Amino acid sequence: MINAQQILHSTVQQALSQIYNLNNPIISFQKTRKEFEGDFTLVTFPYTKETKKSPEQLGQELGEFLVKNNDQVSAFNVVKGFLNISLSNKFWLSYFQSVKDLATVGYKKEKSSGRTIMLEYSSPNTNKPLHLGHVRNNLLGYSVSQVLKANGHEVIKANLVNDRGIHICKSMLAWQKFGNGETPASSGLKGDFFVGKYYVAFDKAYKKQIEELIAQGKTKEEAEKNAPLIIEAQEMLRKWEAGDTEVVNLWKTMNGWVYEGFAVTYKTLGVDFDKMYYESNTYLLGKEIIKEGLEKNVFYKKENGSVAIDLSAEGLDEKIVLRSDGTSVYITQDLGTAIERFKEFPQLSQLIYTVGNEQDYHFKVLFKILEKLGYAWAKECYHLSYGMVELPEGKMKSREGTVVDADELLAEMFDTATATTKELGKVDDFNEEEFKELNKAIGLGALKYFILKVDPKKKMLFDPKESIDFNGHTGPFIQYTHARIKSVLRKAAFDFEKDEVNIEMSAIEKELVKFIYDFDAVVEEAGSAFNPALVANYIYEVTKLYNRFYHDCPILKEEDTNIKIFRLQLSKLCAQAIANAMNLLGIEVPEKM
C-alpha cells in the first residue's frame, strides 16, 4: 500500500541534506488543516537554528525542491512556518489503484502486533436484567475489542459476573416469601426479568417495614438496620458463604434463570465473550495478597483490627482493604482477580476495565495499590471510563423498577425501524422474513451508532426516535448509503473491477480517495485512545461526501467509459470502507434497503 508520508519524508530528507547539509533530521508530517490548501504539512521551525533561515524562507525553498524533484508533489504554499504540500493526481490515483480491491481497507495491521490485551466489559449483577447503562458498556467494550483487533492485537474479551452478595440475596429472599413457587416458565417472563421483579418486590416490602419502624419511634438509620427483611437477607448471605445446601441450591437455580435471560440479550445485541469470571469464584481472592502486603509494610493494621493503606502522598485517601472482622471489601477481590488474570495469561500486555466513570476513584486506588505491591504490569492496567446514559425522561433507578431494560429498548428500536421503513416505502420488494431481518439490522444499527458516535468520556442523552432518522447523523443513514452503493454496483451489469484507468480526478473524487487514505490512521488513533467514536464520526463524513459525489457525478449514465469504470470502482471502495468501519462498531450493513 502506498504511503504518502514515506514518499514525502524521503524527498524532504534529501532536500535538508543537499541544501542545508542537515543529516538525519527529525521529520514529521501532519494533515493540513481544513482552512488551508494542501494534503500534508511540514513544520519548518525545528530547522531554523541550524540553517540560519527564517521559517518562511525554509518553507519556500523546501517546497520548490519538492515540486522539482518529486513528481508526486503538485504544489505547495507557505503559511508562516508551515509548509503545506499538495500531492498530485498521479499519487492519489496510484494509491487508489493499490487499495481498490482490498477487502481489509481500514484494518491498520494485517500482521500481529505481538500484544495480548484482556478487555473486561458488561459485568452485570444477577439480580436484574441488563439495562440502558449496560447497553453502552457492552457496545463500547465490544467495539473497542474490534478496533484493537484491527490494530493487530490479540484480544481476550472477559466478563466478570457479579453473582453473589446482599443484592442477590434480596431477590432470593423475596422469591421465597412472595413467589409461591412460580418460575420464569410458569410466569411467561424471561429469566432475568423474573428475578429482577423480586428485587423490586424486596425493595418495596423493605421500605414499608422501614416506614413502620419509624412510625414506632425508630430513627431512619435504626429502621434501615433493624427491618426484619434486611436482617433475614444478611443471614441468608452468611448461610451462602457457609455453604448452606438449601441456600446455595436456590442461588444456583435463580442465577441459572438469569443467565438464560442474559444469553438472549447478548445474542440480540451481537456481543460475546472469550472468558467468563464469576464473583462467587473470585471474592475470596486477595486475602492472601493483603497478608503479603502487611509483611512488606505496604498495608498496616488499624487499632480496630482492619487493614488499610495510606495513599495521601499520591493525592488519594486512606483505603480499607480488609474489614476488622477479617472479611474482604470489593477492592480486595479486584486485587486478587487482577493478579490471577496475569498468572492465568502471562502473555498479557494490558488489562482494560470498561466501567462507568462513577468508579474512577476506585480504579486509581486499585492500580496504585498493585503498583505498590511491586507488580510491574500495574502500569498496564487501564480504566476505560465512560459517562452515564440518560433518556429525555431523566435518570434510571433499578431498585424502584424505573430502569429502561435493554430488551425493552431493543424491542422499541425494532418497532421504530419497522414503522419508519414502512412510512418511507423502501421495502415493497421484501418478503416477511427479509423485512424482519432488515428492521432488526436497522434498529440495532441505530442504537449502536447513536451510542458509539459519542466520545466514551461524555455523558449522553439517548433519544430512540432521533437515532433512527434516515437523513441525520445516524446509523440508518450510513446503512442506507451502503445499500444505495450496492444497488448501483448491481445495476452496472458488467465487470468494471479488473480495469485500471488513468483519468484526471475531479475535486470531489480526489477528496473521497483522500478520506479513504485516512482510514488506517483513524483506526490507529481509535485503538490508542480506546475510542470507537473516532471511527463512527469518520465514516459518517465519508458517507456524507459519497452522497454529494453521487448527487454531483453521474455514474451509470456517464458516457466516458474510463470515468464510469473509475466511479464504479470508487463506489465499491467506499462501500467496503463503510462495511469495515461499521463492522468495527459491531453494526451490520444490509445489501439492500
Side-chain angles (χ1 to χ4, degrees):
M1 193 183 297
I2 296 172
N3 185 289
Q5 290 94 321
Q6 287 176 359
I7 291 170
L8 293 173
H9 187 282
S10 176
T11 312
V12 169
Q13 191 173 44
Q14 185 184 351
L16 291 170
S17 175
Q18 289 184 16
I19 304 173
Y20 310 110
N21 201 30
L22 285 182
N23 295 312
N24 300 316
I26 296 172
I27 300 169
S28 64
F29 299 94
Q30 58 197 46
K31 275 196 70 178
T32 302
R33 287 164 58 181
K34 287 181 181 178
E35 59 265 38
F36 300 111
E37 186 178 343
D39 298 320
F40 296 96
T41 297
L42 176 72
V43 181
T44 60
F45 292 107
Y47 315 119
T48 55
K49 187 177 180 182
E50 291 184 75
T51 61
K52 296 182 172 55
K53 301 266 186 178
S54 71
E56 292 87 350
Q57 190 177 356
L58 262 171
Q60 186 65 32
E61 292 175 358
L62 287 171
E64 289 171 358
F65 186 96
L66 283 166
V67 171
K68 183 179 178 182
N69 293 278
N70 190 333
D71 64 358
Q72 309 274 28
V73 177
S74 60
F76 73 93
N77 65 84
V78 180
V79 180
K80 297 183 178 178
F82 300 92
L83 169 60
N84 301 320
I85 305 161
S86 296
L87 292 171
S88 65
N89 182 80
K90 177 183 175 182
F91 169 80
W92 290 116
L93 199 57
S94 297
Y95 166 74
F96 171 74
Q97 296 295 353
S98 74
V99 299
K100 70 182 179 67
D101 297 317
L102 279 184
T104 55
V105 62
Y107 287 82
K108 177 154 192 315
K109 294 177 184 174
E110 294 177 17
K111 293 182 181 178
S112 171
S113 68
R115 286 172 58 79
T116 300
I117 299 170
M118 179 175 284
L119 177 64
E120 178 188 297
Y121 60 96
S122 198
S123 305
N125 295 327
T126 57
N127 63 319
K128 54 192 174 185
L130 301 174
H131 56 63
L132 179 55
H134 289 115
V135 169
R136 187 177 199 187
N137 182 301
N138 279 276
L139 298 184
L140 176 60
Y142 182 82
S143 182
V144 169
S145 78
Q146 292 287 90
V147 171
L148 292 174
K149 287 178 185 176
N151 277 284
H153 308 312
E154 292 296 318
V155 180
I156 302 168
K157 295 174 285 187
N159 186 356
L160 174 62
V161 182
N162 301 303
D163 66 339
R164 63 163 292 279
I166 192 69
H167 52 295
I168 309 298
C169 290
K170 288 177 180 179
S171 295
M172 291 162 60
L173 183 63
W175 181 84
Q176 273 188 337
K177 288 185 171 296
F178 317 128
N180 297 316
E182 76 166 338
T183 65
S186 68
S187 66
L189 284 174
K190 190 162 162 277
D192 47 344
F193 278 77
F194 180 82
V195 173
K197 179 180 80 167
Y198 284 99
Y199 183 63
V200 173
F202 177 94
D203 191 64
K204 288 179 180 175
Y206 176 44
K207 282 179 176 172
K208 186 178 179 183
Q209 287 184 350
I210 291 170
E211 288 172 6
E212 290 170 354
L213 289 171
I214 290 173
Q216 294 169 19
K218 302 278 187 186
T219 65
K220 186 172 183 256
E221 187 179 353
E222 288 172 338
E224 287 172 348
K225 284 182 180 178
N226 295 301
L229 270 175
I230 197 66
I231 291 171
E232 284 186 78
Q234 289 164 347
E235 177 59 24
M236 180 176 274
L237 179 59
R238 280 191 287 272
K239 284 182 177 181
W240 181 88
E241 291 186 359
D244 181 271
T245 303
E246 184 182 344
V247 172
V248 169
N249 285 341
L250 175 60
W251 168 79
K252 286 179 179 178
T253 298
M254 293 185 72
N255 274 353
W257 293 335
V258 174
Y259 296 143
E260 287 174 6
F262 283 172
V264 172
T265 308
Y266 286 141
K267 185 177 180 181
T268 305
L269 272 177
V271 302
D272 57 9
F273 308 94
D274 304 308
K275 181 74 181 177
M276 298 294 293
Y277 292 94
Y278 298 91
E279 191 176 326
S280 55
N281 295 329
T282 63
Y283 81 104
L284 294 176
L285 292 175
K287 284 194 174 184
E288 195 61 33
I289 306 301
I290 304 303
K291 184 180 175 184
E292 291 173 16
L294 277 168
E295 292 169 1
K296 293 178 182 177
N297 294 319
V298 174
F299 306 122
Y300 55 85
K301 261 197 175 173
K302 300 185 72 172
E303 288 182 7
N304 66 357
S306 62
V307 179
I309 183 171
D310 183 9
L311 297 172
S312 54
E314 284 76 18
L316 304 166
D317 298 324
E318 179 186 71
K319 177 66 181 176
I320 301 293
V321 293
L322 210 62
R323 295 189 186 96
S324 56
D325 61 3
T327 57
S328 60
V329 292
Y330 204 80
I331 205 160
T332 322
Q333 170 192 300
D334 277 358
L335 289 167
T337 305
I339 292 164
E340 284 298 310
R341 286 173 175 178
F342 276 90
K343 282 181 183 175
E344 184 180 2
F345 298 98
Q347 75 274 28
L348 277 190
S349 308
Q350 193 168 34
L351 175 57
I352 301 172
Y353 298 84
T354 310
V355 182
N357 58 13
E358 75 278 8
Q359 294 295 330
D360 283 354
Y361 182 81
H362 172 85
F363 283 102
K364 285 178 184 175
V365 172
L366 174 64
F367 301 157
K368 184 54 67 176
I369 293 176
L370 286 167
E371 195 180 316
K372 285 184 171 290
L373 285 168
Y375 294 100
W377 46 256
K379 291 184 178 178
E380 297 302 328
C381 292
Y382 180 79
H383 175 207
L384 177 49
S385 175
Y386 63 90
M388 293 296 99
V389 188
E390 292 183 11
L391 291 159
E393 295 79 20
K395 291 185 179 180
M396 305 176 292
K397 297 177 183 177
S398 58
R399 281 176 297 181
E400 296 174 12
T402 59
V403 161
V404 176
D405 295 308
D407 291 353
E408 291 174 354
L409 177 63
L410 288 165
E412 182 183 343
M413 295 305 299
F414 300 152
D415 288 345
T416 305
T418 302
T420 305
T421 49
K422 278 183 178 176
E423 185 181 327
L424 294 172
K426 296 179 181 292
V427 288
D428 294 339
D429 59 340
F430 281 65
N431 64 41
E432 188 176 342
E433 187 58 32
E434 288 174 332
F435 186 55
K436 184 179 178 182
E437 287 302 309
L438 175 66
N439 289 321
K440 182 181 175 184
I442 293 171
L444 272 175
L447 171 66
K448 292 181 178 185
Y449 187 85
F450 200 89
I451 285 177
L452 291 170
K453 73 179 181 180
V454 179
D455 187 304
K457 293 181 177 63
K458 294 181 180 177
K459 182 172 74 173
M460 67 170 294
L461 187 73
F462 179 71
D463 186 336
K465 289 179 183 175
E466 184 185 338
S467 75
I468 217 152
D469 183 355
F470 276 72
N471 295 306
H473 184 182
T474 66
F477 169 68
I478 298 169
Q479 289 172 313
Y480 182 65
T481 300
H482 178 269
R484 164 182 274 177
I485 298 172
K486 288 294 187 176
S487 175
V488 170
L489 299 181
R490 284 192 296 272
K491 287 175 184 175
F494 71 97
D495 186 2
F496 57 83
E497 297 180 11
K498 292 179 182 176
D499 297 298
E500 285 198 12
V501 293
N502 187 12
I503 66 158
E504 189 67 34
M505 287 186 281
S506 67
I508 194 167
E509 287 167 341
K510 193 181 290 186
E511 195 178 350
L512 261 177
V513 173
K514 289 178 185 179
F515 259 102
I516 301 300
Y517 181 88
D518 291 338
F519 198 174
D520 282 356
V522 171
V523 172
E524 183 176 14
E525 188 182 354
S528 299
F530 311 114
N531 185 359
L534 298 173
V535 175
N537 289 290
Y538 158 79
I539 205 59
Y540 172 64
E541 293 301 323
V542 171
T543 306
K544 273 200 308 182
L545 186 59
Y546 181 84
N547 278 286
R548 262 181 50 212
F549 159 76
Y550 179 85
H551 181 267
D552 295 349
C553 303
I555 301 175
L556 296 176
K557 291 183 180 180
E558 174 58 50
E559 294 180 358
D560 186 309
T561 303
N562 280 339
I563 294 175
K564 180 192 286 189
I565 288 170
F566 171 76
R567 287 177 180 169
L568 285 166
Q569 290 175 345
L570 180 56
S571 296
K572 181 193 169 198
L573 181 61
C574 288
Q576 188 67 62
I578 290 171
N580 289 356
M582 295 294 263
N583 181 58
L584 295 179
L585 304 176
I587 299 173
E588 178 189 346
V589 282
E591 292 287 308
K592 61 177 185 173
M593 283 176 67

